[in-house]
Amino acid sequence: MIFAIAMGMGLVEKRTPATSPSGSKVRTGLRARLFAWSLGHADHTQHRLYADRKRALFTQIEGRAGSAPVVVEIGAGTGLNAAFLPTGARWVVVEPNVHFHGRIREAAQAHGLTVDLRDGAAESLPVADGEADAVVSTLVLCSVADVSRSLAEARRVLRPGGRFVFVEHVAAPPGSLLRRVQRLVRQPWGWLADGCRPDQDTGRRLAEAGFADLQMDAFRVSGGVVAPHIAGVATR
Ligand SMILES: C[S@@+](CC[C@H](N)C(=O)[O-])C[C@H]1O[C@@H](n2cnc3c(N)ncnc32)[C@H](O)[C@@H]1O
């Protein structure tokens, strides 16, 4: 009953998201708006937790033969990673939640990037084979419907030698108490955090994704159920 009322008010999105004129899935509902609003207040915390690591990783993004790099970012959220990208980069953003798009355009302008917002999702990137010098994903693979497919897509759009740069929270080690807690809270957590899965085994999926090289560090932040993280660079 409560669920039905919430559906009626648009608080709960129907399972099938809206479709854009190009046919791809876009998210426009009140739940998407609420998530965009709440994440919009978290940039400062995120910079405190991840900025040093991102700064170090993002220096590995390079264009072809001295030209500005083409960087595809999946799930860019508020666009906070613009601060770490090389000035002049072409920033191709695939962000299904339209309530972030204004912030993303502002971030591009503030940091001297050319932004190209495209309809789509990580699982089916609207990007040509080999078009990207780098693909960036921060705190996104926990939320996608299919991690392996998203990684296969990242690999497809990278040029040979191109880099997949990631910072992600991940599942705790198998058999640990935290892993059990992550499984236990998965459903309510997903509802509150826009489909995020605290027990997503992204590290394993990355190791299986067929990149030529994978440099990956594990670290923890004081984030309770989402404390375990990985960060690194996978090279095609
Ligand atoms: C927790 S937010 C992280 C945003 C940003 N990357 C950051 O580091 O703050 C997850 C983002 O992934 C996006 N997202 C969810 N599912 C996606 C998908 N299948 N493809 C691309 N982006 C997706 C959400 O709209 C949201 O912007």
Side-chain angles (χ1 to χ4, degrees):
M1 173 70 167
I2 290 171
F3 188 77
I5 293 168
M7 283 281 282
M9 291 171 67
L11 288 170
V12 178
E13 277 180 70
K14 298 175 192 89
R15 284 193 88 91
T16 314
T19 301
S20 77
S22 69
S24 71
K25 289 170 185 170
V26 291
R27 300 190 57 234
T28 58
L30 185 56
R31 190 176 162 204
R33 185 187 290 273
L34 280 173
F35 183 68
W37 176 84
S38 61
L39 200 66
H41 292 81
D43 283 8
H44 179 72
T45 308
Q46 286 221 49
H47 284 322
R48 183 171 53 75
L49 294 176
Y50 308 118
D52 290 346
R53 218 168 267 275
K54 286 182 180 175
R55 223 169 267 123
L57 292 171
F58 284 40
T59 56
Q60 298 191 46
I61 295 175
E62 289 169 355
R64 280 163 245 220
S67 52
V70 176
V71 181
V72 173
E73 180 161 3
I74 56 172
T78 62
L80 78 176
N81 289 331
F84 306 102
L85 293 174
T87 308
R90 193 164 140 237
W91 188 30
V92 178
V93 177
V94 179
E95 171 48 74
N97 184 338
V98 298
H99 303 294
F100 284 122
H101 290 185
R103 291 279 299 262
I104 289 167
R105 288 197 185 91
E106 285 168 19
Q109 197 171 19
H111 295 285
L113 308 174
T114 309
V115 69
D116 177 358
L117 264 163
R118 298 188 191 174
D119 287 340
E123 295 89 343
S124 57
L125 290 175
V127 180
D129 293 1
E131 186 181 342
D133 295 301
V135 175
V136 167
S137 173
T138 67
L139 311 184
V140 176
L141 294 176
C142 52
S143 301
V144 301
D146 188 331
V147 179
S148 298
R149 186 151 168 218
S150 302
L151 290 171
E153 276 293 273
R155 197 166 153 264
R156 176 185 68 76
V157 305
L158 282 170
R159 65 168 165 84
R163 291 179 171 137
F164 178 70
V165 180
F166 58 93
V167 179
E168 299 286 344
H169 71 78
V170 293
S176 64
L177 174 63
L178 183 56
R179 180 71 167 259
R180 287 201 287 279
V181 174
Q182 287 179 330
R183 282 195 66 167
L184 203 66
V185 303
R186 187 200 289 170
Q187 288 230 328
W189 186 272
W191 197 87
L192 287 170
D194 202 42
C196 167
R197 275 186 61 155
D199 60 342
Q200 195 80 275
D201 202 353
T202 304
R204 204 173 90 197
R205 301 277 168 259
L206 263 162
E208 296 167 351
F211 284 97
D213 183 61
L214 175 61
Q215 304 292 326
M216 180 162 74
D217 282 341
F219 67 104
R220 292 176 73 88
V221 303
S222 51
V225 86
V226 291
H229 280 63
I230 54 171
V233 176
T235 305
R236 184 182 163 195

